Amino acid sequence: WLMASRPEYDLDTISFDPAMFTIDTYNLDKVSSFIDLKDDPEDLPKWSTYAKELTWRPSLFDDIFLKIAEDEEYGITFAKLDMSLLLAPYDGGFDLILPSSNKVQEWRNKFKEWLPYEGGFL
């Protein structure tokens, strides 16, 4: 899955250009909307999530990763079809969400040279 979350309010009021790059380029479908009802709904935007099932291939999403690294894109998540692995890139790296602590340890050992500090994940 390729997923993108966007606020539904006047996008000119925030400090970066949240162009609908990924949503438009990959023709993502709107799948859900969310408002945090714990706060005054008028103070918070409604967030919508767009998604589409796509097949991962090397270099296919380089345009997205480049825009994220340059702070021109945001709110992107990649997921396996069964949601057993989620990858959330941001301008300084990425978060990886795995299904179990055993998988976390397996990936920690496999990619320890990628970890930002001794001991790995926070």
Side-chain angles (χ1 to χ4, degrees), residues 1-6 16 21-22 26 56 60-80 85-97 114:
W1 290 99
L2 171 58
M3 300 174 284
S5 293
R6 296 288 185 269
F16 56 93
F21 171 81
T22 298
Y26 291 92
W56 183 278
L60 177 64
F61 301 111
D62 285 357
D63 56 340
I64 294 175
F65 289 111
L66 181 59
K67 286 198 174 274
I68 291 169
E70 294 175 351
D71 208 18
E72 296 175 5
E73 181 60 280
Y74 69 102
I76 303 298
T77 304
F78 296 90
K80 288 183 70 170
L85 184 146
L86 284 85
L87 174 74
Y90 52 89
D91 63 344
F94 61 89
D95 290 333
L96 188 62
I97 302 160
W114 290 16

